[in-house]
Amino acid sequence: MARGDLTDEQWARFEAVSPPLPRMGRKPRDRRQVFDGIWWRARTGSPWRDIPERYGPWETACTLFRRWRIDGTWARVLKQLQVKADAAGHIEWEVSVDSTICRVHQHAAGARKKGIDPGRSHPDGLAAEPADHAIGRSRGGLTTKIHLAVDVSFHVLAAVVTAGQRGDAPMFTEVMDRIRIPRTGGGHPRTRPTRVLADRAYSSRKIREYLRRRQIPHTIPEKRDQAGHRIRRGSAGGRPPGFDREMYKRRHKVECRIGLLKQARGVATRYDKLAVRYEATVQLTLIRQTL
């Protein structure tokens, strides 16, 4: 077993939530070997052709990664691991929301942009591929942004991939809407955290009204300019939003989780041309770290 490969215990947990082997056709290659090869590529950020021979043909690893991305297997496996963690009481529903910028390597550029309808499915997969491929230009050059919702036990409950120049506040509701953990005993999935923590980038009236409408307590500091406008308006400006400084210190969990996620070089630097492929790489990394 090479460094970074799954242990027997980790493989048993993964095999319990992975799709069953096909009953017909030629016997497939050892799935554990192929998964370790796929993870080696995400961990190192190397091209598919450079996967070591001990993991078998690189074409097999690339094909399985692409097939499981198209049929949504990576997302389903991650969701099932979250369900098991929630049933065992490992998920604590105090959620912190933040985003991180990832540089785009030159190998990720060059995907066709003309003729792609953002509202339709891309021919390479079932998930909608954005017209900009989630690649934007910001101060750091070409970048992609990952928006995360993380609980205090470091479980990533939602992840959204956008272009690097996209703001944090406009994506807040989409991140929150992706928090959806089914219950093992039946009933509606759990979607509402007990509290939300975020930095000043999420301080807006729209976000506070959204959280108030869903009856979710929140700890978000007020921006200085917003506080100044409120004070200048006098009694018409309303009361200042409640803010617990000690509670806000717990927001460091999402910062630590971002650092852990970027230990995979295939995530810290984007090498995938398509946004759906990069999102699958993020899901694969979350699966491996959850195991």
Side-chain angles (χ1 to χ4, degrees):
M1 183 176 66
R3 186 172 69 91
D5 292 353
L6 292 176
T7 64
D8 293 339
E9 181 182 358
Q10 292 169 346
W11 172 248
R13 294 180 59 192
F14 177 78
E15 195 173 24
V17 296
S18 61
L21 292 171
R23 296 183 178 181
M24 302 179 63
R26 186 172 59 182
K27 183 179 180 181
R29 183 174 292 273
D30 181 14
R31 185 176 286 182
R32 179 174 181 178
Q33 180 188 40
V34 177
F35 179 85
D36 286 334
I38 296 173
W39 167 240
W40 183 91
R41 181 257 177 184
R43 180 173 62 86
T44 62
S46 301
W48 287 104
R49 295 176 181 268
D50 293 342
I51 293 179
E53 295 181 357
R54 64 177 178 270
Y55 298 120
W58 69 269
E59 297 93 341
T60 304
C62 183
T63 300
L64 183 65
F65 174 80
R66 178 177 177 273
R67 183 186 304 152
W68 281 14
R69 177 188 59 77
I70 292 174
D71 62 16
T73 297
W74 296 119
R76 286 195 299 271
V77 170
L78 179 60
K79 183 67 67 177
Q80 292 182 35
L81 290 175
Q82 293 173 346
V83 170
K84 288 180 175 291
D86 185 42
H90 298 320
I91 294 182
E92 303 178 39
W93 285 85
E94 181 183 288
V95 174
S96 298
V97 180
D98 204 353
S99 66
T100 181
I101 290 288
C102 301
R103 291 295 301 272
V104 175
H105 194 267
Q106 58 185 355
H107 291 171
R112 186 181 66 177
K113 294 185 178 180
K114 294 183 179 179
I116 294 181
D117 185 356
R120 300 182 61 184
S121 297
H122 192 272
D124 193 46
L126 299 179
E129 173 71 12
D132 59 359
H133 303 295
I135 296 177
R137 187 175 297 277
S138 56
R139 291 183 179 180
L142 295 180
T143 56
T144 294
K145 181 176 286 187
I146 306 176
H147 307 260
L148 298 172
V150 181
D151 80 324
V152 294
S153 57
F154 293 102
H155 286 87
V156 177
L157 303 182
V160 178
V161 175
T162 65
Q165 80 279 6
R166 293 291 300 274
D168 292 348
M171 298 303 302
F172 178 81
T173 55
E174 183 174 350
V175 174
M176 293 297 296
D177 291 342
R178 289 202 184 189
I179 299 178
R180 189 179 183 86
I181 307 298
R183 304 175 189 265
T184 56
H188 294 288
R190 184 162 186 178
T191 59
R192 190 172 63 179
T194 58
R195 178 173 289 273
V196 170
L197 292 82
D199 58 16
R200 285 188 174 89
Y202 299 92
S203 177
S204 70
R205 181 176 299 177
K206 182 178 179 181
I207 290 178
R208 296 183 190 276
E209 290 178 352
Y210 169 84
L211 294 173
R212 192 178 302 112
R213 184 171 62 253
R214 295 189 59 188
Q215 299 181 355
I216 301 176
H218 59 274
T219 302
I220 303 176
E222 188 180 21
K223 292 182 179 180
R224 292 185 178 90
D225 59 339
Q226 293 176 350
H229 295 329
R230 177 178 49 78
I231 293 174
R232 283 192 294 271
R233 294 182 62 187
S235 59
R239 294 178 300 176
F243 178 69
D244 189 340
R245 188 175 298 275
E246 291 300 319
M247 179 66 68
Y248 184 71
K249 294 180 181 179
R250 300 168 64 90
R251 198 191 66 85
H252 78 281
K253 297 287 185 177
V254 66
E255 304 286 354
C256 297
R257 191 62 181 87
I258 288 174
L260 181 61
L261 178 64
K262 285 191 170 182
Q263 287 185 4
R265 297 187 176 187
V267 174
T269 302
R270 174 176 169 176
Y271 299 96
D272 300 288
K273 289 183 181 295
L274 299 181
V276 290
R277 292 182 183 173
Y278 183 65
E279 187 176 16
T281 302
V282 174
Q283 293 169 352
L284 166 67
T285 304
L286 295 176
I287 291 171
R288 181 62 182 86
Q289 294 179 349
T290 302
L291 294 174

